[in-house]
PDB file of all heavy atoms in Angstrom:
ATOM      1  N   ALA H 248       7.774   9.643 -12.676  1.00 97.00           N
ATOM      2  CA  ALA H 248       6.906   8.466 -12.641  1.00 97.00           C
ATOM      3  C   ALA H 248       7.712   7.259 -12.071  1.00 97.00           C
ATOM      4  O   ALA H 248       7.178   6.522 -11.208  1.00 97.00           O
ATOM      5  CB  ALA H 248       6.292   8.072 -14.039  1.00 97.00           C
ATOM      6  N   ALA H 249       8.978   7.127 -12.593  1.00 97.00           N
ATOM      7  CA  ALA H 249       9.862   6.018 -12.114  1.00 97.00           C
ATOM      8  C   ALA H 249      10.105   6.147 -10.622  1.00 97.00           C
ATOM      9  O   ALA H 249      10.046   5.143  -9.899  1.00 97.00           O
ATOM     10  CB  ALA H 249      11.184   6.050 -12.942  1.00 97.00           C
ATOM     11  N   LYS H 250      10.344   7.384 -10.173  1.00 98.00           N
ATOM     12  CA  LYS H 250      10.648   7.584  -8.805  1.00 98.00           C
ATOM     13  C   LYS H 250       9.408   7.191  -7.897  1.00 98.00           C
ATOM     14  O   LYS H 250       9.552   6.439  -6.895  1.00 98.00           O
ATOM     15  CB  LYS H 250      11.026   9.086  -8.485  1.00 98.00           C
ATOM     16  CG  LYS H 250      11.744   9.379  -7.201  1.00 98.00           C
ATOM     17  CD  LYS H 250      11.975  10.827  -7.062  1.00 98.00           C
ATOM     18  CE  LYS H 250      12.970  11.333  -8.017  1.00 98.00           C
ATOM     19  NZ  LYS H 250      13.228  12.850  -7.914  1.00 98.00           N
ATOM     20  N   LEU H 251       8.307   7.561  -8.383  1.00 98.00           N
ATOM     21  CA  LEU H 251       7.056   7.244  -7.620  1.00 98.00           C
ATOM     22  C   LEU H 251       6.781   5.774  -7.649  1.00 98.00           C
ATOM     23  O   LEU H 251       6.239   5.158  -6.657  1.00 98.00           O
ATOM     24  CB  LEU H 251       5.884   8.088  -8.179  1.00 98.00           C
ATOM     25  CG  LEU H 251       5.869   9.554  -7.807  1.00 98.00           C
ATOM     26  CD1 LEU H 251       4.956  10.386  -8.731  1.00 98.00           C
ATOM     27  CD2 LEU H 251       5.399   9.687  -6.362  1.00 98.00           C
ATOM     28  N   LEU H 252       6.999   5.110  -8.774  1.00 98.00           N
ATOM     29  CA  LEU H 252       6.816   3.678  -8.844  1.00 98.00           C
ATOM     30  C   LEU H 252       7.750   2.987  -7.883  1.00 98.00           C
ATOM     31  O   LEU H 252       7.410   1.935  -7.283  1.00 98.00           O
ATOM     32  CB  LEU H 252       7.037   3.175 -10.289  1.00 98.00           C
ATOM     33  CG  LEU H 252       5.968   3.508 -11.284  1.00 98.00           C
ATOM     34  CD1 LEU H 252       6.348   3.003 -12.670  1.00 98.00           C
ATOM     35  CD2 LEU H 252       4.604   3.039 -10.941  1.00 98.00           C
ATOM     36  N   ARG H 253       8.977   3.446  -7.713  1.00 98.00           N
ATOM     37  CA  ARG H 253       9.884   2.778  -6.866  1.00 98.00           C
ATOM     38  C   ARG H 253       9.426   2.935  -5.384  1.00 98.00           C
ATOM     39  O   ARG H 253       9.611   2.085  -4.507  1.00 98.00           O
ATOM     40  CB  ARG H 253      11.315   3.371  -7.030  1.00 98.00           C
ATOM     41  CG  ARG H 253      11.936   2.759  -8.329  1.00 98.00           C
ATOM     42  CD  ARG H 253      13.282   3.405  -8.582  1.00 98.00           C
ATOM     43  NE  ARG H 253      13.769   2.894  -9.896  1.00 98.00           N
ATOM     44  CZ  ARG H 253      14.293   3.719 -10.861  1.00 98.00           C
ATOM     45  NH1 ARG H 253      14.435   5.029 -10.670  1.00 98.00           N
ATOM     46  NH2 ARG H 253      14.742   3.200 -11.992  1.00 98.00           N
ATOM     47  N   VAL H 254       8.882   4.113  -5.099  1.00 98.00           N
ATOM     48  CA  VAL H 254       8.299   4.336  -3.693  1.00 98.00           C
ATOM     49  C   VAL H 254       7.165   3.377  -3.541  1.00 98.00           C
ATOM     50  O   VAL H 254       6.927   2.834  -2.401  1.00 98.00           O
ATOM     51  CB  VAL H 254       7.872   5.820  -3.483  1.00 98.00           C
ATOM     52  CG1 VAL H 254       7.201   6.012  -2.200  1.00 98.00           C
ATOM     53  CG2 VAL H 254       9.105   6.765  -3.609  1.00 98.00           C
ATOM     54  N   THR H 255       6.334   3.179  -4.563  1.00 98.00           N
ATOM     55  CA  THR H 255       5.230   2.242  -4.482  1.00 98.00           C
ATOM     56  C   THR H 255       5.721   0.874  -4.119  1.00 98.00           C
ATOM     57  O   THR H 255       5.172   0.182  -3.190  1.00 98.00           O
ATOM     58  CB  THR H 255       4.484   2.236  -5.781  1.00 98.00           C
ATOM     59  OG1 THR H 255       4.100   3.580  -6.179  1.00 98.00           O
ATOM     60  CG2 THR H 255       3.176   1.343  -5.717  1.00 98.00           C
ATOM     61  N   SER H 256       6.783   0.483  -4.845  1.00 98.00           N
ATOM     62  CA  SER H 256       7.400  -0.806  -4.566  1.00 98.00           C
ATOM     63  C   SER H 256       7.942  -0.945  -3.144  1.00 98.00           C
ATOM     64  O   SER H 256       7.791  -1.962  -2.491  1.00 98.00           O
ATOM     65  CB  SER H 256       8.479  -1.099  -5.582  1.00 98.00           C
ATOM     66  OG  SER H 256       8.948  -2.362  -5.547  1.00 98.00           O
ATOM     67  N   LEU H 257       8.508   0.144  -2.689  1.00 98.00           N
ATOM     68  CA  LEU H 257       9.022   0.180  -1.296  1.00 98.00           C
ATOM     69  C   LEU H 257       7.878   0.006  -0.280  1.00 98.00           C
ATOM     70  O   LEU H 257       8.044  -0.724   0.670  1.00 98.00           O
ATOM     71  CB  LEU H 257       9.699   1.588  -1.020  1.00 98.00           C
ATOM     72  CG  LEU H 257      10.233   1.792   0.381  1.00 98.00           C
ATOM     73  CD1 LEU H 257      11.415   0.823   0.689  1.00 98.00           C
ATOM     74  CD2 LEU H 257      10.696   3.239   0.554  1.00 98.00           C
ATOM     75  N   GLY H 258       6.671   0.525  -0.637  1.00 98.00           N
ATOM     76  CA  GLY H 258       5.494   0.313   0.213  1.00 98.00           C
ATOM     77  C   GLY H 258       5.169  -1.229   0.288  1.00 98.00           C
ATOM     78  O   GLY H 258       4.817  -1.684   1.367  1.00 98.00           O
ATOM     79  N   GLY H 259       5.312  -1.843  -0.863  1.00 98.00           N
ATOM     80  CA  GLY H 259       5.112  -3.343  -0.925  1.00 98.00           C
ATOM     81  C   GLY H 259       6.119  -4.039  -0.008  1.00 98.00           C
ATOM     82  O   GLY H 259       5.682  -5.012   0.702  1.00 98.00           O
ATOM     83  N   LEU H 260       7.415  -3.573  -0.083  1.00 98.00           N
ATOM     84  CA  LEU H 260       8.416  -4.238   0.788  1.00 98.00           C
ATOM     85  C   LEU H 260       8.141  -3.995   2.263  1.00 98.00           C
ATOM     86  O   LEU H 260       8.165  -4.939   3.091  1.00 98.00           O
ATOM     87  CB  LEU H 260       9.728  -3.603   0.441  1.00 98.00           C
ATOM     88  CG  LEU H 260      10.962  -4.233   1.180  1.00 98.00           C
ATOM     89  CD1 LEU H 260      11.112  -5.701   0.825  1.00 98.00           C
ATOM     90  CD2 LEU H 260      12.237  -3.421   0.887  1.00 98.00           C
ATOM     91  N   ILE H 261       7.586  -2.799   2.695  1.00 98.00           N
ATOM     92  CA  ILE H 261       7.239  -2.547   3.983  1.00 98.00           C
ATOM     93  C   ILE H 261       6.047  -3.464   4.423  1.00 98.00           C
ATOM     94  O   ILE H 261       6.045  -4.044   5.518  1.00 98.00           O
ATOM     95  CB  ILE H 261       6.886  -1.011   4.230  1.00 98.00           C
ATOM     96  CG1 ILE H 261       8.129  -0.204   4.053  1.00 98.00           C
ATOM     97  CG2 ILE H 261       6.335  -0.750   5.632  1.00 98.00           C
ATOM     98  CD1 ILE H 261       7.777   1.324   3.999  1.00 98.00           C
ATOM     99  N   PHE H 262       5.150  -3.532   3.557  1.00 98.00           N
ATOM    100  CA  PHE H 262       3.926  -4.431   3.818  1.00 98.00           C
ATOM    101  C   PHE H 262       4.407  -5.791   4.092  1.00 98.00           C
ATOM    102  O   PHE H 262       3.964  -6.435   5.093  1.00 98.00           O
ATOM    103  CB  PHE H 262       2.965  -4.341   2.544  1.00 98.00           C
ATOM    104  CG  PHE H 262       1.803  -5.255   2.711  1.00 98.00           C
ATOM    105  CD1 PHE H 262       0.565  -4.787   3.239  1.00 98.00           C
ATOM    106  CD2 PHE H 262       1.842  -6.562   2.271  1.00 98.00           C
ATOM    107  CE1 PHE H 262      -0.499  -5.550   3.361  1.00 98.00           C
ATOM    108  CE2 PHE H 262       0.727  -7.407   2.410  1.00 98.00           C
ATOM    109  CZ  PHE H 262      -0.453  -6.875   2.886  1.00 98.00           C
ATOM    110  N   LEU H 263       5.267  -6.365   3.250  1.00 98.00           N
ATOM    111  CA  LEU H 263       5.707  -7.751   3.377  1.00 98.00           C
ATOM    112  C   LEU H 263       6.477  -7.947   4.614  1.00 98.00           C
ATOM    113  O   LEU H 263       6.466  -9.014   5.322  1.00 98.00           O
ATOM    114  CB  LEU H 263       6.473  -8.262   2.161  1.00 98.00           C
ATOM    115  CG  LEU H 263       5.691  -8.419   0.875  1.00 98.00           C
ATOM    116  CD1 LEU H 263       6.524  -8.890  -0.296  1.00 98.00           C
ATOM    117  CD2 LEU H 263       4.514  -9.371   1.070  1.00 98.00           C
ATOM    118  N   SER H 264       7.266  -6.933   4.967  1.00 98.00           N
ATOM    119  CA  SER H 264       8.154  -7.017   6.173  1.00 98.00           C
ATOM    120  C   SER H 264       7.242  -7.144   7.430  1.00 98.00           C
ATOM    121  O   SER H 264       7.546  -7.906   8.314  1.00 98.00           O
ATOM    122  CB  SER H 264       9.101  -5.778   6.330  1.00 98.00           C
ATOM    123  OG  SER H 264       9.833  -5.709   5.147  1.00 98.00           O
ATOM    124  N   VAL H 265       6.215  -6.267   7.462  1.00 97.00           N
ATOM    125  CA  VAL H 265       5.211  -6.287   8.639  1.00 97.00           C
ATOM    126  C   VAL H 265       4.573  -7.645   8.657  1.00 97.00           C
ATOM    127  O   VAL H 265       4.369  -8.224   9.720  1.00 97.00           O
ATOM    128  CB  VAL H 265       4.206  -5.076   8.501  1.00 97.00           C
ATOM    129  CG1 VAL H 265       3.107  -5.250   9.568  1.00 97.00           C
ATOM    130  CG2 VAL H 265       4.888  -3.752   8.625  1.00 97.00           C
ATOM    131  N   LYS H 266       4.194  -8.078   7.466  1.00 97.00           N
ATOM    132  CA  LYS H 266       3.538  -9.445   7.435  1.00 97.00           C
ATOM    133  C   LYS H 266       4.393 -10.563   7.952  1.00 97.00           C
ATOM    134  O   LYS H 266       3.987 -11.389   8.679  1.00 97.00           O
ATOM    135  CB  LYS H 266       3.127  -9.693   6.004  1.00 97.00           C
ATOM    136  CG  LYS H 266       2.317 -10.867   5.597  1.00 97.00           C
ATOM    137  CD  LYS H 266       0.948 -10.952   5.999  1.00 97.00           C
ATOM    138  CE  LYS H 266       0.018  -9.863   6.081  1.00 97.00           C
ATOM    139  NZ  LYS H 266      -1.031 -10.251   7.163  1.00 97.00           N
ATOM    140  N   ALA H 267       5.737 -10.455   7.532  1.00 97.00           N
ATOM    141  CA  ALA H 267       6.607 -11.488   8.007  1.00 97.00           C
ATOM    142  C   ALA H 267       6.819 -11.493   9.529  1.00 97.00           C
ATOM    143  O   ALA H 267       6.737 -12.474  10.213  1.00 97.00           O
ATOM    144  CB  ALA H 267       7.991 -11.301   7.331  1.00 97.00           C
TER     145      ALA H 267
END
Side-chain angles (χ1 to χ4, degrees):
Chain H
K250 199 181 291 178
L251 285 161
L252 287 180
R253 286 177 185 132
V254 175
T255 308
S256 188
L257 179 66
L260 183 64
I261 295 169
F262 178 91
L263 290 182
S264 302
V265 172
K266 185 72 28 210

